[in-house]
Amino acid sequence: MAQVQIDLERLKRNLFSLAQFGLNESDKGIYRPGFSDVDSAARRWLMDMARAQGFEADLDGAGNVIIKYYPNEQSYHQPAVLIGSHLDSVPAGGMFDGSLGVIAGYECLCVLQETPSELTKPIWLIASSEEEGRFGGMFGVQALTGNLTPHQILTSHDADGVMLSDAMQAQGLEPMAALEAKLTPSKVFCFLELHIEQGPVLDQTGVQIGVVEGISGVFKWIVKLIGKADHAGTAPMEMRSDAFMGLADFAYQINRIIAEDGTDSSRITVGKAELKPGFAHTIAGEVDFTLVVRDMSEEVMEALSAACRKALSAIARKHKLMFEYEQVSWLTPVQCTPAMVACIEEQAAQLGLNYRCMPSGAGHDTQFFTEITEAGMIFIPSVNGISHAPDEWSHWHDIDAGTQLLLACVMSKASA
């Protein structure tokens, strides 16, 4: 099939337009958390643009935007090639994480609509909801792949105590309707996701494309160390129940835990911490913090979980604290489908792109789609490996190459 070219300028315009949703002028970061007003506004913008272009566009019960392109009448009766990523962002995030996969996927739909082809299958773009972890993460694709439960919908909350069900209702969504978003596996042919690497490997080695072989597992805890608030001037050091000292001790233990129970791919992160009552002249009576742990092996994840519990329990005893934790999410590591890995490699070679096969240390929508269909993932370089920050950036020539590769893979799969 003849090579079809994407319109990079249109892709740029759409990426910059999407970046305006949640842009903070003071730090230039993007604040678009799942099931927020600005997240919903971005979804409406995408659907309006797609409908104006002549595509079918709908919002399912889980908040996923699904945009459908049917190349001909025959394709209405065929399983769909799915592409896409997520629209939500972390606080003070960048403009490419998730957004690139959605906008590049939309560009593929536009190019295919404008170009005569012999495709036999429909192509659906998925802009998934709540991937970044405000309520545990991967909510949209869990709904699409049948991994969502009523218990999860009713009990999930964010680090500030906002319930998932309340956040959904505030955006006009009926929480239990998310259970109806499940895709019938027989209607899905495959799934492809384009994403920035969010790490330094491709950028430092000068490789254009990462062909993802597997995706790291991840679990998230919300931890409480509870002591006793007291006067900072009158309470002797040896008589304190200082919750902050418990957190400081645990932070010091992280490298030891990885060395003893982890691997080279293990990651342990305390990303958010809050001292209570949070006054300069008062000893912290409580500290609440998030703990996120990743590895490519579920067995190693289990070992790290046990090691973290053991360390926190010992630290709590040492500092006369109570230790409590809630496991918000547990995502198992997965391998991408070998046939999809081979397809991406083949198309990259045909386009003359240099590539390497590699794991993903971050979780992605792709990992849930591996349960219902063939699924694969394409990485492009992140400048200096930076992501989840306002200065996240990828060069336009790399975005062009990655989107062109995504289009080639879609055309190959949609004509198979």
Side-chain angles (χ1 to χ4, degrees):
M1 188 176 295
Q3 183 174 329
V4 179
Q5 295 293 324
I6 67 159
D7 184 340
L8 182 60
E9 292 305 313
R10 176 171 57 193
L11 178 59
K12 288 182 184 180
R13 289 194 302 271
N14 287 335
L15 274 170
F16 280 122
S17 294
L18 178 56
Q20 296 305 304
F21 291 91
L23 178 65
N24 184 302
E25 290 297 336
S26 62
D27 63 10
K28 304 303 180 184
I30 294 172
Y31 294 74
R32 199 162 61 229
F35 298 120
S36 63
D37 291 346
V38 69
D39 178 54
S40 293
R43 292 172 192 280
R44 290 192 296 272
W45 167 81
L46 179 61
M47 288 190 291
D48 289 345
M49 180 170 63
R51 288 165 181 161
Q53 190 71 20
F55 298 120
E56 295 182 20
D58 295 292
L59 191 73
D60 70 14
N64 300 301
V65 175
I66 303 179
I67 299 170
K68 300 177 180 180
Y69 167 61
Y70 294 91
N72 48 52
E73 288 295 326
Q74 174 191 355
S75 65
Y76 280 89
H77 308 290
Q78 298 296 318
V81 173
L82 307 185
I83 53 177
S85 193
H86 60 95
L87 272 185
D88 60 319
S89 81
V90 297
M95 66 176 283
F96 296 115
D97 179 10
S99 298
L100 174 62
V102 173
I103 298 303
Y106 181 74
E107 175 59 25
C108 289
L109 295 190
C110 290
V111 171
L112 293 173
Q113 182 191 53
E114 297 161 353
T115 307
S117 67
E118 299 176 357
L119 303 183
T120 59
K121 296 180 180 65
I123 300 97
W124 293 0
L125 171 64
I126 308 290
S128 66
S129 64
E130 217 296 274
E131 190 267 1
E132 285 290 9
R134 178 186 175 189
F135 297 101
M138 306 292 179
F139 180 84
V141 291
Q142 283 183 294
L144 290 169
T145 57
N147 285 280
L148 198 59
T149 66
H151 181 267
Q152 182 180 348
I153 295 170
L154 294 176
T155 62
S156 294
H157 59 84
D158 67 12
D160 296 318
V162 177
M163 299 302 296
L164 168 64
S165 55
D166 291 339
M168 292 182 69
Q169 288 176 333
Q171 301 307 320
L173 295 168
E174 171 53 47
M176 287 302 172
L179 297 169
E180 302 170 15
K182 180 182 177 181
L183 295 170
T184 303
S186 62
K187 293 184 178 180
V188 178
F189 187 72
C190 65
F191 177 78
L192 277 161
E193 183 174 8
L194 173 66
H195 208 282
I196 57 172
E197 181 198 348
Q198 301 181 279
V201 175
L202 296 178
D203 187 54
Q204 290 188 2
T205 58
V207 176
Q208 293 173 290
I209 296 294
V211 182
V212 179
E213 295 179 301
I215 300 171
S216 173
V218 57
F219 67 83
K220 177 182 177 181
W221 291 357
I222 296 178
V223 182
K224 292 180 183 291
L225 293 175
I226 304 168
K228 185 179 185 303
D230 209 338
H231 195 290
T234 60
M237 297 301 291
E238 71 275 9
M239 295 183 182
R240 298 183 178 195
S241 298
D242 188 338
F244 171 73
M245 293 302 294
L247 173 57
D249 266 9
F250 176 69
Y252 184 75
Q253 295 291 318
I254 286 176
N255 286 338
R256 177 194 62 78
I257 290 170
I258 291 178
E260 293 180 0
D261 296 283
T263 67
D264 289 343
S265 64
S266 298
R267 307 287 187 269
I268 299 178
T269 305
V270 175
K272 179 181 180 180
E274 180 183 6
L275 300 179
K276 297 178 181 179
F279 183 64
H281 297 283
T282 303
I283 298 163
E286 179 178 331
V287 60
D288 301 346
F289 62 94
T290 59
L291 183 68
V292 174
V293 179
R294 305 172 188 270
D295 197 83
M296 292 300 297
S297 161
E298 188 162 28
E299 182 178 355
V300 172
M301 289 171 63
E302 295 280 7
L304 292 172
S305 175
C308 287
R309 286 196 302 272
K310 182 178 179 181
L312 285 163
S313 295
I315 287 167
R317 288 192 298 272
K318 174 183 175 183
H319 293 282
K320 300 184 288 291
L321 307 173
M322 289 178 58
F323 159 49
E324 300 175 356
Y325 79 99
E326 176 188 1
Q327 184 167 288
V328 178
S329 61
W330 182 287
L331 301 178
T332 302
V334 300
Q335 296 299 310
C336 292
T337 311
M340 292 299 290
V341 172
C343 174
I344 296 169
E345 288 187 275
E346 178 184 353
Q347 296 302 319
Q350 289 187 13
L351 291 172
L353 302 173
N354 66 323
Y355 67 89
R356 63 182 292 167
C357 293
M358 62 189 300
S360 170
H364 297 287
D365 288 334
T366 299
Q367 63 198 82
F368 275 97
F369 278 107
T370 60
E371 298 182 12
I372 67 166
T373 191
E374 294 185 356
M377 194 167 190
I378 301 165
F379 276 167
I380 63 165
S382 297
V383 174
N384 296 322
I386 295 171
S387 184
H388 282 192
D391 52 344
E392 170 184 283
W393 189 254
S394 290
H395 293 305
W396 293 116
H397 59 82
D398 290 324
I399 290 171
D400 189 11
T403 307
Q404 199 66 52
L405 176 57
L406 176 65
L407 177 61
C409 292
V410 167
M411 295 180 70
S412 172
K413 288 297 183 179
S415 59

